[in-house]
Amino acid sequence: MGAGRRALITTAITVVCAVTVLAAPGTAFASPTPTPTASPSATATASPTPVTNKDLEAVREKLDALYHDAAVATDAYNAAEEQAKKQSAEIVELAKKIVDGQEKLDELKDRAGAAARAQYRTGGLPDEAQLMLSDNPQEFLDGAGRVLQGERATKGLIAELTRTQQDLRQYTADASAQWQQLEKNRQAKAAAKTKVTTQIAAAEKLESQLEKQEKERLAKLEQQAALKAQTAWLDSGVLKDIGTKASAEGKAAVAYATAQLGKPYEWGAEGPSSYDCSGLTSQAWASAGDPIPRTSQEQWKQLKHVDVKDMRPGDLIIYFDDASHVAMYIGDGAIIHAPRPGRTVTIAGAGSMPILGVVRPDA
C-alpha cells in the first residue's frame, strides 16, 4: 500500500462531492481558497496508512449516491426521448393532414369557382324576370328547382370550405406547438445526458482511486450490504404469503429477461446487446405482447399496483422513493435487473434495495 492512501481516498471523495454539486443547476460558489500542499519532506516521511473499512464504506455510500443520481437522470433522458419520438410522429401526422387539407381546399375552391361561373351565365336576373321572358313556364319552373338545389349545394360547399380552412389553421397551430414542445424535450434530453455522464464520470473517478485489493474489499462490502437488506426482508416473513403463479405473459417476460443475463448495463439502452433497468423490463414485456411505459417512473405511475404479498413472477418491483430503479420478480424472493454502469444484467435478492412497491403489466 503506497503512502497516504487513506488521505488520497478522502480527497477523492471530496473531489467527487464537489463535482456532484457543480452538476446541480442554479448553484452559486464563492472564490475557492487555495489548498495548502504538503512539503516534499513531509510526503517522504509519511508512513503508509491503510484504507479502513470505514473509509471504504464511505466510498460505497458515495458511489451509491452517484449511481442513484445517474439513474434518476437516465429516467429523465429516457422520458424526454420517448416524448420526442411521440411528438415527431404527431408532427408527421399533422403534416399529412395539412397536405390533405390543402388539396381538399384547392378542390373546394375550384368547385366554388365553377358554381360562380354557372350563376354568371344565367345573367343574374331575378326569378320574376326570367319567368316573364321564358317561352316555356314549366321548363322555367323545373330550372328554378334546380337553381334552389344548386343554391343549397353552394351553401354546403361554402360551409365545407370554411370548415376546411379552420381545420388547416388548427393543424398548423398544433404543429407549431408540437415543434416548440419537441425543442423543449430536446433541451431536457441534452441536460439529462450531461447529468448522467457527469455522475458516472465522478463515480468512475472515485473508483479509479482504489487499488485492486481495495476494489475487492469494496465489492465485498457491497455484497454484505445487499445480503443484510435481503436477509432483513426475508426475515419479515414476506415470502410465506407469496405463492401466485405467473401468467402466460409473465412467463414469457421472465424468459426474455433471463435470456439477457450477462449483457452489460448501458444507460438509455433497450437492447438487444445492452440495457438499462427500465429498458430491460419494457422490452421483456413488449416481447410478451404487452407493451408498457419505457421508464421506471412511468411504469410506477401507469401500471396497476399490487401488494408485495400478491406479487407473481413477471411483476415489476419499483425501488427507491423516486421510482428510479425497476427489476423483474422471478420468484423465490429473487429478481432480474440491470443494476448500474459497470455491471451486467444479473439475478439479485428482491429485498436487497429499498422497495417502493410492485406493479403488474398484465393486470
Side-chain angles (χ1 to χ4, degrees):
M1 182 78 64
R5 292 291 298 152
R6 182 174 182 179
L8 180 59
I9 296 299
T10 302
T11 302
I13 295 175
T14 303
V15 170
V16 169
C17 288
V19 170
T20 304
V21 174
L22 285 169
T27 306
F29 301 95
S31 300
T33 302
T35 303
T37 56
S39 64
S41 59
T43 303
T45 57
S47 59
T49 305
V51 177
T52 66
N53 279 356
K54 183 178 180 180
D55 298 325
L56 287 177
E57 182 62 24
V59 171
R60 185 188 70 79
E61 290 176 358
K62 188 58 193 174
L63 286 173
D64 284 348
L66 288 169
Y67 282 123
H68 172 267
D69 289 347
V72 173
T74 297
D75 228 32
Y77 176 91
N78 290 336
E81 173 72 8
E82 287 299 294
Q83 193 62 26
K85 288 179 182 177
K86 179 181 177 182
Q87 285 160 349
S88 295
E90 289 177 354
I91 288 171
V92 170
E93 288 303 312
L94 285 169
K96 291 179 181 177
K97 288 181 178 179
I98 289 172
V99 171
D100 293 343
Q102 189 60 56
E103 290 177 351
K104 181 179 180 180
L105 185 62
D106 293 341
E107 179 189 351
L108 291 171
K109 285 181 177 179
D110 289 343
R111 287 167 56 189
R117 288 191 295 273
Q119 185 178 12
Y120 175 77
R121 283 194 294 271
T122 66
L125 293 174
D127 291 345
E128 297 83 354
Q130 292 188 43
L131 176 60
M132 293 177 64
L133 295 174
S134 174
D135 295 332
N136 188 335
Q138 184 59 48
E139 183 179 334
F140 166 76
L141 293 174
D142 292 341
R146 288 193 295 271
V147 168
L148 289 174
Q149 291 176 354
E151 287 178 350
R152 285 195 293 269
T154 300
K155 288 180 181 178
L157 181 63
I158 293 173
E160 188 175 4
L161 188 66
T162 301
R163 284 196 302 270
T164 301
Q165 289 173 325
Q166 291 172 343
D167 288 344
L168 271 174
R169 283 194 292 269
Q170 187 60 52
Y171 294 153
T172 303
D174 289 346
S176 176
Q178 288 289 3
W179 272 114
Q180 293 175 6
Q181 192 58 44
L182 178 61
E183 182 57 29
K184 287 181 180 179
N185 275 303
R186 284 174 175 164
Q187 293 174 1
K189 190 171 81 169
K193 180 178 180 179
T194 298
K195 185 167 184 179
V196 173
T197 53
T198 299
Q199 300 300 97
I200 292 175
E204 291 174 345
K205 180 178 178 63
L206 180 53
E207 288 182 292
S208 71
Q209 307 299 322
L210 302 174
E211 293 184 351
K212 181 180 178 181
Q213 297 87 343
E214 293 164 351
K215 290 179 180 178
E216 291 172 352
R217 287 167 55 201
L218 177 61
K220 288 182 180 179
L221 285 175
E222 292 174 345
Q223 292 170 1
Q224 290 171 2
L227 179 61
K228 181 179 179 181
Q230 174 72 355
T231 301
W233 184 68
L234 293 176
D235 286 347
S236 68
V238 64
L239 282 187
K240 66 179 173 53
D241 294 324
I242 299 177
T244 310
K245 293 183 179 180
S247 64
E249 294 85 353
K251 289 179 181 178
V254 169
Y256 180 95
T258 303
Q260 314 313 311
L261 287 170
K263 292 185 179 180
Y265 176 102
E266 181 182 358
W267 69 270
E270 46 189 333
S273 57
S274 58
Y275 297 87
D276 61 21
C277 68
S278 57
L280 176 64
T281 55
S282 61
Q283 288 302 305
W285 272 100
S287 74
D290 240 325
I292 62 174
R294 168 64 176 88
T295 68
S296 59
Q297 292 177 346
E298 287 304 311
Q299 289 169 9
W300 175 243
K301 288 178 184 177
Q302 297 185 33
L303 300 181
K304 180 183 178 181
H305 292 202
V306 297
D307 289 337
V308 172
K309 65 180 179 61
D310 295 325
M311 70 180 174
R312 64 193 187 193
D315 286 348
L316 306 181
I317 302 181
I318 309 296
Y319 292 95
F320 305 107
D321 290 341
D322 52 9
S324 57
H325 189 68
V326 60
M328 180 177 292
Y329 184 65
I330 59 174
D332 296 326
I335 55 170
I336 288 179
H337 71 146
R340 64 169 175 81
R343 302 292 171 81
T344 60
V345 176
T346 189
I347 294 175
S352 58
M353 296 170 285
I355 295 176
L356 176 61
V358 179
V359 294
R360 178 163 296 160
D362 60 337

